[in-house]
Amino acid sequence: MVSSNTISVGSLSSFLLYAAYIGVSVGGLSSFYSELNKSIGAASRLWDLIDRPPLIPNSGGLIPNMPLDGHIKFINIDFNYPSRKDTDVLKGLSLEIQPGTTVAVVGASGSGKSTLAALLLRLYDPISGVVHVGGHDIRMLNPSWLRKHIGTVSQEPILFSCTIRENILYGAEKPENVTEDEFMRAAREANVLEFTEKLPQGFDTLVGERGVMLSGGQKQRVAIARALIKNPKILLLDEATSALDAQSEFLVREALERIMKARTVLTIAHRLSTIQNAHVIAVLQNGHIVEQGTYNELIARNGAFKELIKHQTFQEITPVNDVKLQNLENVG
Ligand SMILES: Nc1ncnc2c1ncn2[C@@H]1O[C@H](COP(=O)(O)OP(=O)(O)OP(=O)(O)O)[C@@H](O)[C@H]1O
């Protein structure tokens, strides 16, 4: 057509160029359509979840006008998870935690230790029995008010993809009211300052998705600082099962000892030192507490606790004084 002058070279080039543009655009349209369908599917699932009424409402209930005293009582609790109604997790469990004391719950894996924590936070209601906090049946209390008084430091702290400062302030009811002094005190007591000081952007360092840019020990210390900012009466501690190196372990342990002072602590213990220092150790077996007492009492008894200690490895950590000595040597 070009040789017979029916079409010019310029028109042919334009035609080919536009044909290519249209081809690419039409091709893109099909992938756009499939992406659109995927988003519609995901959005409708999201709306279904948002519309689902919670089994335990977040509002309503009593807000006591007296300060909480931190006295916890599990009274004759029977419990199974709604998704596994045929498996009883707790059967007639009773446990009392006096205000200001530390109770370490020990038991085999799957014995229901974390379930106790979930019941205290009222994430589930027992099938029968009552959980009392500060003399109140927790089903009568406003759930948000109850949770405001319980600080949690879990095995795998959940950090958000924002800065260290924002992750710590997340613990405060009104972050804008936290003064710089209060913030720094929490960071210092939780041994967070120890590593932020070495970071070029300090507390403004981004931690990445779920805190991937921090080590296990650093994540735990941020979680402790978050709990300190909350200043709760009750502390729920689910100790990490994975061992940290001696230095990190010492810094986490030291931070935990500070936060545990003058609070009621329910700890799911995996460290021998926590068990030895607890006011009461409660052994969970077959859905209820089979034995409780101090470390020395239980060791002398030759019962379930002694059996557990024989068969389950609890983390032994480098004695604090040894690590302190090592630190001094390093400084020297
Ligand atoms: N959300 C859930 N839905 C159904 N069953 C669950 C749920 N969470 C835990 N379970 C089951 O309840 C039982 C007790 O679990 P729980 O996590 O309380 O044990 P645990 O003593 O804390 O264990 P571990 O020491 O391994 O963390 C287990 O048999 C577990 O499989």
Side-chain angles (χ1 to χ4, degrees):
M1 286 170 86
V2 172
S3 60
S4 61
N5 272 341
T6 322
I7 189 169
S8 68
V9 175
S11 302
L12 179 65
S13 314
S14 311
F15 170 76
L16 290 175
L17 206 65
Y18 285 125
Y21 276 147
I22 291 169
V24 170
S25 308
V26 170
L29 215 57
S30 70
S31 70
F32 166 74
Y33 185 69
S34 77
E35 288 299 320
L36 186 72
N37 273 336
K38 260 197 248 171
S39 327
I40 292 172
S44 74
R45 168 101 185 98
L46 204 62
W47 286 120
D48 283 350
L49 286 174
I50 290 170
D51 288 342
R52 231 169 68 174
L55 290 176
I56 295 164
N58 261 327
S59 51
L62 176 76
I63 298 185
N65 44 20
M66 297 279 284
L68 194 78
D69 74 356
H71 188 188
I72 303 170
K73 263 177 160 180
F74 293 90
I75 307 167
N76 215 5
I77 305 284
D78 287 339
F79 179 73
N80 53 45
Y81 281 95
S83 57
R84 256 192 239 159
K85 286 195 187 300
D86 50 341
T87 315
D88 290 339
V89 178
L90 303 177
K91 288 175 276 181
L93 177 138
S94 294
L95 176 67
E96 183 168 1
I97 309 175
Q98 296 296 341
T101 65
T102 297
V103 169
V105 181
V106 294
S109 178
S111 56
K113 303 181 293 291
S114 308
T115 305
L116 268 185
L119 290 177
L120 181 62
L121 285 165
R122 208 176 163 221
L123 303 182
Y124 300 93
D125 279 333
I127 306 296
S128 66
V130 194
V131 183
H132 272 184
V133 170
H136 303 280
D137 176 344
I138 61 170
R139 285 170 302 189
M140 298 298 135
L141 293 174
N142 176 287
S144 304
W145 182 87
L146 171 73
R147 290 171 197 149
K148 199 175 80 184
H149 288 88
I150 305 176
T152 313
V153 181
S154 64
Q155 283 199 23
E156 254 306 310
I158 296 171
L159 299 196
F160 300 106
S161 181
C162 44
T163 64
I164 294 174
R165 180 183 293 274
E166 285 162 336
N167 268 295
I168 293 175
L169 286 175
Y170 179 74
E173 198 185 355
K174 290 192 176 133
E176 63 280 8
N177 291 352
V178 177
T179 64
E180 189 59 18
D181 275 358
E182 287 166 339
F183 175 82
M184 288 306 285
R185 194 178 325 126
R188 198 171 302 113
E189 288 190 6
N191 283 336
V192 170
L193 199 61
E194 184 270 343
F195 69 91
T196 49
E197 274 176 340
K198 296 171 199 149
L199 296 169
Q201 284 165 305
F203 290 114
D204 296 324
T205 308
L206 291 166
V207 302
E209 201 65 47
R210 299 183 76 86
V212 285
M213 272 131 85
L214 298 182
S215 73
Q218 289 170 339
K219 272 194 269 188
Q220 282 179 29
R221 284 181 269 159
V222 171
I224 295 169
R226 186 189 274 172
L228 275 166
I229 281 280
K230 194 174 185 180
N231 194 16
K233 200 80 197 159
I234 297 168
L235 186 66
L236 258 177
L237 197 61
D238 195 350
E239 282 185 341
T241 40
S242 53
L244 303 170
D245 63 75
Q247 172 73 12
S248 214
E249 181 73 61
F250 165 68
L251 293 167
V252 169
R253 183 78 248 147
E254 193 182 54
L256 283 175
E257 272 162 19
R258 286 188 194 130
I259 194 178
M260 284 160 83
K261 264 188 210 136
R263 294 179 215 274
T264 307
V265 185
L266 173 61
T267 169
I268 297 163
H270 293 288
R271 293 186 182 99
L272 205 55
S273 62
T274 312
I275 298 171
Q276 284 166 339
N277 293 335
H279 295 102
V280 175
I281 302 163
V283 185
L284 185 51
Q285 209 175 62
N286 302 324
H288 58 276
I289 304 296
V290 291
E291 217 173 48
Q292 53 180 307
T294 63
Y295 181 81
N296 289 339
E297 282 166 8
L298 295 189
I299 281 291
R301 213 178 276 174
N302 266 335
F305 178 68
K306 195 139 185 214
E307 254 330 272
L308 194 77
I309 288 273
K310 234 190 269 172
H311 295 112
Q312 199 173 325
T313 13
F314 289 98
Q315 287 167 32
E316 289 198 52
I317 62 166
T318 314
V320 167
N321 287 340
D322 289 2
V323 180
K324 271 187 176 156
L325 273 178
Q326 283 167 20
N327 290 346
L328 285 175
E329 280 162 16
N330 291 343
V331 171

